[in-house]
Amino acid sequence: MMILFSCTNPNEDSPNNNPSHDDNPETEKITISVTDIDESSATLSITISSSKMYLFGLVDRTMWDSEEGDVFWNTYIDLFKQQGILSQALRTGSFTDQIANLDAQTEYVVFAAFCDKNGTRSGDLYTYTFKTSAPDVRAISIKKIKLLSLFNP
């Protein structure tokens, strides 16, 4: 399931991301980071080093592994074109947001690449992988107890 998709320029320094380009500090980069990860949400930050357009997305690892990176990218670009929403998904500038409604104990892949207005990628496809935590069993038990007490006074 695709959760999020948008576009921006590459600035990727995370050790989890693919190309590093650390040998040339002038290189345009995409840096992807994910913090504050719990069982159903995380904070996603994408930092870019230029004003170029880019696109990013967040999918579960199973979906990502189903196709090779270039094929995956082209499939999503085609889907966005068919739905007439590609131009709305393209981004410039850095991005930070809280991503909600993630599944617990699930591995996700954030991907991003510079692209033009048609979604044609220019440069590397950057990725960052993270896993949500297990649900807090104590919190679930407390909610269940409270719910049961409401129905059994």
Side-chain angles (χ1 to χ4, degrees):
M1 161 177 47
M2 182 186 69
I3 297 176
L4 181 63
F5 209 146
S6 217
C7 216
T8 193
N9 53 340
N11 179 1
E12 180 152 335
D13 292 330
S14 168
N16 199 346
N17 291 318
N18 282 349
S20 64
H21 299 292
D22 290 337
D23 55 331
N24 183 355
E26 299 301 316
T27 302
E28 295 172 333
K29 296 180 181 181
I30 295 175
T31 301
I32 302 169
S33 66
V34 180
T35 59
D36 305 322
I37 303 166
D38 64 24
E39 70 271 6
S40 64
S41 66
T43 300
L44 170 62
S45 296
I46 298 179
T47 307
I48 60 168
S49 64
S50 79
S51 60
K52 289 177 68 175
M53 276 192 296
Y54 68 98
L55 186 66
F56 72 89
L58 172 68
V59 295
D60 69 51
R61 179 69 185 255
T62 306
M63 179 178 277
W64 178 261
D65 288 344
S66 69
E67 297 190 47
E68 185 266 329
D70 289 333
V71 174
F72 188 88
W73 178 269
N74 292 331
T75 299
Y76 272 85
I77 294 298
D78 289 345
L79 178 65
F80 273 56
K81 286 179 180 178
Q82 290 171 5
Q83 295 177 354
I85 59 173
L86 178 61
S87 63
Q88 297 161 1
L90 299 174
R91 297 225 180 237
T92 57
S94 296
F95 172 88
T96 299
D97 199 7
Q98 180 76 20
I99 308 303
N101 301 317
L102 300 174
D103 294 328
Q105 291 185 296
T106 302
E107 198 169 10
Y108 290 92
V109 176
V110 180
F111 58 95
F114 288 109
C115 61
D116 65 17
K117 67 180 182 175
N118 297 314
T120 303
R121 203 175 83 213
S122 59
D124 297 318
L125 181 60
Y126 295 88
T127 62
Y128 186 96
T129 303
F130 71 97
K131 186 174 182 176
T132 51
S133 60
D136 184 351
V137 177
R138 292 173 301 156
I140 293 171
S141 296
I142 291 169
K143 288 178 185 176
K144 187 175 181 181
I145 290 168
K146 288 180 180 178
L147 182 61
L148 288 174
S149 66
L150 290 174
F151 293 105
N152 298 317

